[in-house]
Amino acid sequence: MNSIIKYLKDLFGGIKTLLTGMMVTGYYFVHPKEIVTQQYPENRKTLVMLDRFKGELVMPHDENNQHKCTACSICEINCPNGTIEVISKQTETEDGKKKKELDTYIYKLGMCTFCGLCVKVCPQDAIEFSNEFEHAVFDKEKLTKTLNHPGSSLKSKQTAQ
Amino acid sequence: MTEEIVQHDIEQEEYLLNMGPQHPSTHGVLRLLISLKGETVANIEPHCGYIHRGIEKMCEKLTYQQIIHLTDRLDYLSAHINNEAVCLLVEDALQIEVPERVKYIRTIISELSRLASHELWWCAFGMDMGALTTYFYGLRDREKILDIFEETTGGRLLQSYNCPGGLMNDIHPNFQKRIKEFIPYFRKKLPEYDELLTGNVIMQERTKGIGPISKEDVISWGVTGPSGRGSGFACDVRKHHPYSAYDKVQFEEILFTEGDSLARYKVRIAEMWESLKILEQLVDNIPEGDYAVKMKPIIKLPEGEYYQRVEACRGEFGVYVISSGEKYPVRVKLRSPNFSNLSALNRMAAGFKIADLVAVGGSLDLVIPDIDR
C-alpha cells in the first residue's frame, strides 16, 4: 500500500514540477510583447550598432580625400598578428626636401583579432574601427583590403587649421 | 550462439566508444575514449590536442601588451578576467599602483562576465539534459550583458578592454545607467531559471547523486571554481586572495557539501545572486580619476619569476612568467582551470551510465580551448 502511495506522490509531484516550468513558457506565449528576438536580416535598415563596436579597421578620409596617416608604422609594429602592412614611398617636395609618404595601407581582415592595439597606439588618430560587421565574402582575396583611398594624400597641418 | 553466451559477452567484454571530437555535448572538440561494460562507464580517457594552438609558445615572441589578447582565446567566456590576470601581473612586477577607478571598473566587468558565463552554462546544461527551452531564456538575459560590454568596450564576447596600467578607454556615459537597469531586471528573471529547470523532475532525477566526488579528491585533482566548491572545497580566490576591488565588497563564498552534479549546479545559480550583490555595491561608487596610468611604450619586466592568480568563471586561472629583463618573456605558463577540472571527470563519472556522463560533463562546465591552449 505504501509503495502505491509513494508511486502516486512521485507521479503527481513530477507532473507539478513540469507544470511549473510550463507556466513560465505559457506566460511568454500569451505575452508576445515581452519577446526580445530581433528579426535580423529583415531589420537591417533600422539596425543601429553601438558606436564603440569594433567591426573593422577603417581610415577616415575628409571631403578633400585626405587622411591623417604619416606612415610611421607604429600600428604595424604593435599588431600581434601581422594584420597591418604599411608601404611607404619617398617623395620630393617642391623645395627639394625628401619626405616619407603613405603609399598603400594594407589591412588583412582575415587575420585581425580586434584587440584594438593599433587604434590605441596611433599618434595621429588616423585609423579607427567602424561598425560594419557583415564580413562574409565568397573569395578569400577580398579580405585583404587597402584602407587609403586611391589618389588620397596626407592632410597637411595648414589645411587642418 | 545461445542467449546466455551473448549475455555473458555483453557483461564481460569492454567496449571502447569514442565520444567526440565532434559531439554536441562535449561543447567543443574534446575527445573522450570511454570503456564501457554494457551501458556502464568503466574508464574515461580524455584525448586533448584537437584545438592546440601553442599559445604559451606564441607568448614568447610577443610583448606584454600583445600577450593579453591571446589570453582571451583560452576561456573565451571569461575573457576579461584572463586579461586582468596578465595586467595584474605586469602591474605587480613593475610596482605600479593603478587608480581606484580602474579597480572598480575591472571588478564590475569581471562580475558581469561571470554572470554572462554562468547564464550560458545554464542554457547549455539544460540542453545537455534535453531541455531546449532553457537555451532561449538564458541567452535572452545574456544579451543584455553583452550590450553593456559592446557599449563600453567595443567587443561583445572578447572585450580586449584591459591593458597594463589600466583600461583601453573610459567607460561609456551610459555604463552605470545600463547596469542599474539590468540588476532589477535580472533579479526578476533569475527565479524563472529555478522554475524552469532546478525543480524539474527530470533534471532532479538526472543530477541528484550523479557524479559525486569527495572533498579530498577535489583537492588532490586540483578542481577549483564552482565545481570544487560544490564538494565543499573553499577555493574562491576573490575571497581568500582578494585582488582589484574584491576586498571592498561584501559577498559570500558559496559552498555545498554534496559534491554531486546537482550541488555544482546549485553553486552556480547561487553565485549569480552573489554577483548581483557585488554589482549593486560597486556600480554607484565608481570613484573619479584617470582610467589608465601612463605607461612606457615598451614594457620590460625586471628579471625574475612572477605568478598571478585570479578567479575565472570556471576556477582559478594563473599566469606564470619568467622574465630575463627583455621585452619578451622567456617562458609563460598558463594554469587553466578546465584542464584540472577535466582530469577529475573519470573519478566522477566512472560507475555510472553513459547517459549520466553527459550530465556530469555539463555540470563541470568545460570550455575546450582552455584545456588545450
Side-chain angles (χ1 to χ4, degrees), chain B residues 6-17 34-43 352-355:
Chain B
V6 172
Q7 194 65 33
H8 177 83
D9 276 1
I10 288 172
E11 274 168 15
Q12 294 301 318
E13 250 182 46
E14 266 197 8
Y15 179 76
L16 281 183
L17 181 78
I34 308 165
S35 310
L36 290 174
K37 274 190 177 156
E39 224 184 314
T40 313
V41 175
N43 188 37
F352 288 93
K353 296 277 187 283
I354 185 160

Side-chain angles (χ1 to χ4, degrees), chain A residues 80-82 111 113, chain B residues 51-64 66-71 73-74 327-334 373:
Chain A
N81 317 302
M111 287 159 80
T113 50
Chain B
I51 193 165
H52 179 74
R53 294 147 293 171
I55 283 181
E56 286 174 9
K57 193 70 188 166
M58 278 160 81
C59 288
E60 291 169 17
K61 278 275 170 262
L62 294 174
T63 63
Y64 292 99
Q66 292 172 340
I67 286 174
I68 290 170
H69 97 286
L70 278 181
T71 54
R73 271 92 192 153
L74 301 171
K327 64 174 180 174
Y328 302 126
V330 174
R331 174 82 170 96
V332 177
K333 166 87 181 87
L334 302 160
R373 296 197 289 283

Side-chain angles (χ1 to χ4, degrees), chain B residues 54-124:
Chain B
I55 283 181
E56 286 174 9
K57 193 70 188 166
M58 278 160 81
C59 288
E60 291 169 17
K61 278 275 170 262
L62 294 174
T63 63
Y64 292 99
Q65 290 103 318
Q66 292 172 340
I67 286 174
I68 290 170
H69 97 286
L70 278 181
T71 54
D72 279 355
R73 271 92 192 153
L74 301 171
D75 181 354
Y76 42 80
L77 292 172
S78 47
H80 179 88
I81 307 175
N82 294 355
N83 291 354
E84 198 180 343
V86 182
C87 293
L88 287 172
L89 180 132
V90 173
E91 285 152 13
D92 195 40
L94 296 173
Q95 294 180 336
I96 293 168
E97 186 62 37
V98 293
E100 286 291 297
R101 185 179 177 81
V102 175
K103 291 182 181 174
Y104 273 68
I105 296 168
R106 276 181 182 170
T107 313
I108 288 174
I109 297 190
S110 294
E111 284 312 308
L112 285 173
S113 307
R114 199 179 311 280
L115 272 175
S117 163
H118 284 354
E119 278 165 11
L120 188 66
W121 157 81
W122 180 78
C123 310

Side-chain angles (χ1 to χ4, degrees), chain A residues 24 28 52 54 78 120, chain B residues 66 152 154 170 189 192 195:
Chain A
V24 179
Y28 287 102
R52 283 188 189 175
K54 288 182 271 194
N78 270 277
K120 184 171 175 271
Chain B
Q66 292 172 340
T152 287
D170 207 356
K189 298 292 183 193
E192 274 181 8
E195 286 169 27

Side-chain angles (χ1 to χ4, degrees), chain A residues 15-160:
Chain A
I15 290 172
K16 196 186 155 217
T17 61
L18 291 179
L19 286 177
T20 319
M22 296 269 277
M23 289 264 285
V24 179
T25 47
Y27 174 81
Y28 287 102
F29 182 69
V30 295
H31 289 81
K33 275 188 184 167
E34 293 203 27
I35 293 171
V36 291
T37 315
Q38 292 185 11
Q39 301 295 332
Y40 159 59
E42 286 82 24
N43 74 349
R44 268 164 95 174
K45 291 219 169 61
T46 53
L47 186 71
V48 183
M49 298 300 288
L50 299 166
D51 49 356
R52 283 188 189 175
F53 178 69
K54 288 182 271 194
E56 67 172 325
L57 197 66
V58 289
M59 183 179 282
H61 287 60
D62 64 359
E63 63 275 6
N64 301 328
N65 201 14
Q66 287 181 325
H67 56 75
K68 292 187 206 159
C69 181
T70 55
C72 65
S73 298
I74 291 181
C75 49
E76 190 182 339
I77 296 162
N78 270 277
C79 180
N81 317 302
T83 309
I84 298 167
E85 203 178 319
V86 180
I87 299 169
S88 57
K89 61 182 177 196
Q90 294 284 346
T91 50
E92 267 187 45
T93 49
E94 286 142 20
D95 45 338
K97 276 186 196 165
K98 278 197 174 168
K99 206 176 149 194
K100 198 166 130 188
E101 212 174 63
L102 179 70
D103 185 38
T104 9
Y105 192 101
I106 299 171
Y107 170 58
K108 295 162 193 149
L109 177 61
M111 287 159 80
C112 185
T113 50
F114 305 100
C115 61
L117 281 175
C118 49
V119 177
K120 184 171 175 271
V121 295
C122 182
Q124 312 290 337
D125 293 330
I127 43 177
E128 62 181 34
F129 278 108
S130 78
N131 288 347
E132 176 62 44
F133 64 94
E134 289 163 335
H135 297 314
V137 284
F138 283 103
D139 191 0
K140 202 172 139 193
E141 302 297 312
K142 285 180 184 161
L143 290 175
T144 305
K145 299 182 179 188
T146 307
L147 292 192
N148 54 331
H149 296 175
S152 62
S153 59
L154 177 65
K155 190 188 265 181
S156 61
K157 288 204 174 126
Q158 281 79 19
T159 50

